[in-house]
Amino acid sequence: TQLLEQSPQFLSIQEGENLTVYCNSSSVFSSLQWYRQEPGEGPVLLVTVVTGGEVKKLKRLTFQFGDARKDSSLHITAAQPGDTGLYLCAGHTGNQFYFGTGTSLTVIP
Amino acid sequence: NAGVTQTPKFRVLKTGQSMTLLCAQDMNHEYMYWYRQDPGMGLRLIHYSVGEGTTAKGEVPDGYNVSRLKKQNFLLGLESAAPSQTSVYFCASSLGQGAMSGYTFGSGTRLTVV
């Protein structure tokens, strides 16, 4: 049973387009993190959100934590080829982070 | 800045063989983790350690053993490899275990069991 479901599983878009990926659960988390993983490498932490409704921006990336702290979204504005990778969300509960299934993003030049 | 180093990067094993995956971190982190990553399954926790000399089971511990004799090292062992253990294995470490703790991952070990 997967605690966190991410959608879509795969996404291929043209450079310059906007996109949103989602991370959903029926569980409440004390925090939620987003990671990006490039081929052949380990995940790298992008952001941690803690408060319900919190919005954080990292250049062209906007992260939002749901009001009920059960879900999160990642919005990318004007996607670039360098944004290509696997995006993973991870929810914290019970002194542990549980990882989602991932969204594989390809940005075509 | 080495961070988390995993060795080897690639390995092919025959069914029934044993091996040890090595993980070393130079950030003085207290907590260390072993995950496996399979297509469509995300990252699943195998074992973890909350400090030197301590280990605990994660979500998928069967067929694996671990040891943390030194704070900087966390070893993952496969005593008798099975094809179902074909996967990419990631080691991670963190300073704490709380909600704000960020994980630093190694670059992974791709293991194939034939």
Side-chain angles (χ1 to χ4, degrees), chain A residues 33-46:
Chain A
Q33 296 181 333
W34 284 91
Y35 291 77
R36 180 168 68 207
Q37 183 179 13
E38 298 185 8
E41 297 297 328
V44 175
L45 179 64
L46 295 174

Side-chain angles (χ1 to χ4, degrees), chain B residues 6-11 21 87-90 107-111:
Chain B
Q6 291 183 234
T7 54
K9 290 189 180 299
F10 303 93
R11 185 73 186 268
L21 280 66
S87 186
V88 182
Y89 291 86
F90 287 99
S107 58
T109 295
R110 183 173 294 274
L111 175 66

Side-chain angles (χ1 to χ4, degrees), chain B residues 7-96:
Chain B
T7 54
K9 290 189 180 299
F10 303 93
R11 185 73 186 268
V12 178
L13 282 181
K14 292 183 179 179
T15 298
Q17 286 185 321
S18 64
M19 78 163 295
T20 300
L21 280 66
L22 309 179
C23 177
Q25 54 98 0
D26 61 0
M27 298 168 287
N28 201 35
H29 283 176
E30 204 67 41
Y31 301 86
M32 296 187 74
Y33 315 85
W34 275 107
Y35 286 89
R36 59 178 291 172
Q37 186 174 39
D38 303 289
M41 303 286 288
L43 285 162
R44 292 182 292 168
L45 183 63
I46 304 171
H47 286 280
Y48 64 99
S49 169
V50 300
E52 181 179 316
T54 72
T55 63
K57 294 180 180 180
E59 182 185 354
V60 288
D62 294 343
Y64 306 95
N65 57 76
V66 288
S67 65
R68 185 126 180 246
L69 299 179
K70 294 183 179 181
K71 185 176 183 178
Q72 63 267 34
N73 298 331
F74 195 27
L75 279 58
L76 177 70
L78 286 73
E79 291 186 347
S80 180
S84 61
Q85 294 178 304
T86 293
S87 186
V88 182
Y89 291 86
F90 287 99
C91 176
S93 70
S94 66
L95 193 59

